[in-house]
Amino acid sequence: MKKNEKSASSLHKKTAVPRRKRTVTKKQSPAKLTTASKVLSFPPKISNSGVQLNHPLPENRSSAAPLTPPNKPPFSIRDAKKLRLLLLWEYDAGLPSTEIRFIQSLRMLFKEVFPLKIEDNLVNAITLYQPDVLLVVGNRTNLPLAGQASYYKDLKTVLWLQDVYGPLSHLNTNPDSLVWDYVITQNPRHIYTYQKTTTSKVVYIPFGPDPELFAPEKAPAHIQSDLLLLGDYEPRLHPYLEALCESSPDGRIIAIGDNWRDIPRVEPWIPETSNDIKQLYNGADIIISFGGNDRRGLDIAACGGFLLAEHGVNQDNYMIPGEDFVSFHSPEELGSHVTYYKEHPEEKRKISSRALVRSEFDYSFFHLIMDFTNTLLEGK
């Protein structure tokens, strides 16, 4: 390197700005708060001028009077978790899938559930399991326990009938049969009949729709219809049929029930299995029920079917008129409904979709078993 280049290099080193050392701030740990150092802040007081409660005080109670708790806390659904239940399932109570639904729902609510076939030794089973509740599902009422009533005095006995289409004529007529604390019917029309023949508390709770039996699906072409009629034919239905023929002159009409064979324009069908009924429900554009019951309406809802139900058949115990189905009071109103919903399929689809969703939640098998459980707790 030349002499003048060396001097320039040394000059650059002398005039260069020296590097500054980076200072590192030591991380400080948060100070420990003592009880004396804590500061409690409260939200500012909100003025209550002009603000009223959205629930009125009970009658005959001053606003300044203190509210005293009740003597006994009300029973809740959680109290069922302290109870043991013995379930006897009759052969005529329903299909195996329905029995499975029962057991699954009960096990979610009760402490223990012991399924038992009716042929087994009932007395020994009660002695062994020591249940709090005996639930018999089916139509057998003459259980051999009456002679030992004192031994089972603390046992709650419930008979849940399979009586959708007709009441039992032999309910508690045998003097040696068990006297039931509760009798549950699946048809509200039978309540008065049972009340005349028994001292039991009669309650209406239907079975929930079984999703393995009733669900939306594509129906075969040979079973599809414009109108599906449910119920037995009676002479009083003649004006209704005339209104249906006027509102649906070219539509295919299928009927499930008795006495339809000689009725013009109506094809009578006799479904042999639950699958046949499911296909009929799914294949119908509009389903019309004459004198039906809630159980059938729940199954239709589970298939996503659109239901027109005759007013006064107690459909609104679990299903809401105008939301889950549409009711009619006269032949003219029925014909008007059929015409309107054929011209407005979006309205028909809205109602059937809402009923389908509610069948999965509001009146599913589990929720109806909850109604049964609450009935027991209220009686407790």
Side-chain angles (χ1 to χ4, degrees):
M1 184 181 292
K2 295 181 181 180
K3 187 177 181 180
N4 56 352
E5 290 179 354
K6 288 182 180 179
S7 60
S9 175
S10 61
L11 180 63
H12 176 72
K13 289 180 180 179
K14 291 178 182 179
T15 58
V17 180
R19 287 186 178 181
R20 299 181 61 183
K21 262 191 175 182
R22 188 177 60 177
T23 58
V24 179
T25 305
K26 186 178 180 181
K27 188 176 181 180
Q28 297 180 355
S29 58
K32 293 183 178 179
L33 293 177
T34 62
T35 306
S37 63
K38 291 181 181 178
V39 179
L40 302 178
S41 60
F42 295 90
K45 184 178 180 181
I46 301 175
S47 175
N48 195 30
S49 59
V51 179
Q52 296 181 354
L53 295 175
N54 57 3
H55 51 86
L57 291 170
E59 294 182 4
N60 302 324
R61 180 183 291 276
S62 170
S63 59
L67 294 174
T68 57
N71 295 331
K72 294 182 179 180
F75 290 103
S76 69
I77 199 70
R78 294 182 179 179
D79 292 298
K81 278 296 182 183
K82 305 173 185 177
L83 304 177
R84 297 153 61 91
L85 182 140
L86 179 62
L87 171 66
L88 279 72
W89 189 267
E90 267 284 2
Y91 67 92
D92 60 350
L95 297 177
S97 60
T98 306
E99 181 182 2
I100 292 173
R101 293 277 170 184
F102 253 89
I103 296 174
Q104 289 175 341
S105 300
L106 289 170
R107 281 179 172 161
M108 295 175 69
L109 297 171
F110 286 82
K111 179 181 179 181
E112 289 181 282
V113 176
F114 307 102
L116 187 70
K117 294 300 181 183
I118 203 69
E119 294 81 7
D120 294 343
N121 193 322
L122 177 60
V123 175
N124 288 346
I126 294 177
T127 305
L128 175 64
Y129 297 123
Q130 293 293 309
D132 302 288
V133 180
L134 169 63
L135 171 61
V136 178
V137 183
N139 294 337
R140 181 177 176 180
T141 62
N142 56 339
L143 294 178
L145 288 178
Q148 308 174 50
S150 60
Y151 185 75
Y152 303 119
K153 62 181 179 179
D154 295 329
L155 179 67
K156 287 289 184 183
T157 56
V158 185
L159 176 64
W160 199 329
L161 297 170
Q162 175 63 288
D163 60 344
V164 174
Y165 300 107
L168 266 70
S169 59
H170 58 278
L171 183 62
N172 280 2
T173 56
N174 186 348
D176 296 328
S177 65
L178 178 68
V179 178
W180 303 97
D181 293 313
Y182 294 91
V183 172
I184 302 178
T185 175
Q186 293 196 64
N187 193 325
R189 293 186 172 189
H190 302 161
I191 293 178
Y192 180 68
T193 302
Y194 297 145
Q195 287 176 338
K196 291 189 300 182
T197 60
T198 181
T199 57
S200 309
K201 182 177 180 181
V202 183
V203 183
Y204 162 64
I205 306 176
F207 287 180
D210 190 338
E212 293 188 21
L213 302 178
F214 298 98
E217 66 175 27
K218 179 69 174 178
H222 74 278
I223 212 169
Q224 295 179 8
S225 63
D226 295 277
L227 303 177
L228 174 63
L229 311 183
L230 306 178
D232 299 336
Y233 177 77
E234 306 173 66
R236 73 175 187 88
L237 298 184
H238 181 70
Y240 290 92
L241 291 179
E242 289 184 340
L244 293 177
C245 292
E246 291 179 5
S247 58
S248 184
D250 302 322
R252 184 188 185 190
I253 304 177
I254 293 178
I256 302 176
D258 296 333
N259 309 322
W260 290 102
R261 178 170 297 180
D262 300 326
I263 306 303
R265 285 214 46 203
V266 177
E267 302 176 39
W269 279 68
I270 303 177
E272 298 180 355
T273 64
S274 298
N275 186 63
D276 295 341
I277 299 177
K278 177 177 67 173
Q279 290 183 341
L280 286 166
Y281 288 166
N282 280 284
D285 185 48
I286 296 177
I287 302 173
I288 302 171
S289 175
F290 295 104
N293 54 72
D294 291 74
R295 170 70 180 279
R296 189 159 53 187
L298 295 177
D299 294 339
I300 293 170
C303 292
F306 175 72
L307 175 64
L308 297 176
E310 187 175 12
H311 178 74
V313 298
N314 298 303
Q315 288 282 352
D316 55 340
N317 281 297
Y318 280 96
M319 301 179 69
I320 302 176
E323 293 189 13
D324 303 323
F325 72 101
V326 177
S327 63
F328 59 89
H329 300 72
S330 64
E332 295 77 17
E333 189 175 14
L334 174 60
S336 175
H337 283 332
V338 171
T339 301
Y340 175 81
Y341 287 106
K342 280 185 172 294
E343 296 175 352
H344 299 83
E346 70 284 351
E347 294 293 331
K348 176 165 61 70
R349 186 165 53 250
K350 185 186 300 183
I351 293 175
S352 60
S353 298
R354 184 185 295 113
L356 174 61
V357 171
R358 282 172 54 84
S359 72
E360 298 174 354
F361 297 98
D362 293 355
Y363 39 79
S364 65
F365 233 109
F366 176 71
H367 281 78
L368 293 174
I369 295 294
M370 285 184 64
D371 288 350
F372 157 74
T373 306
N374 283 322
T375 299
L376 286 179
L377 294 175
E378 290 171 2
K380 191 173 178 182

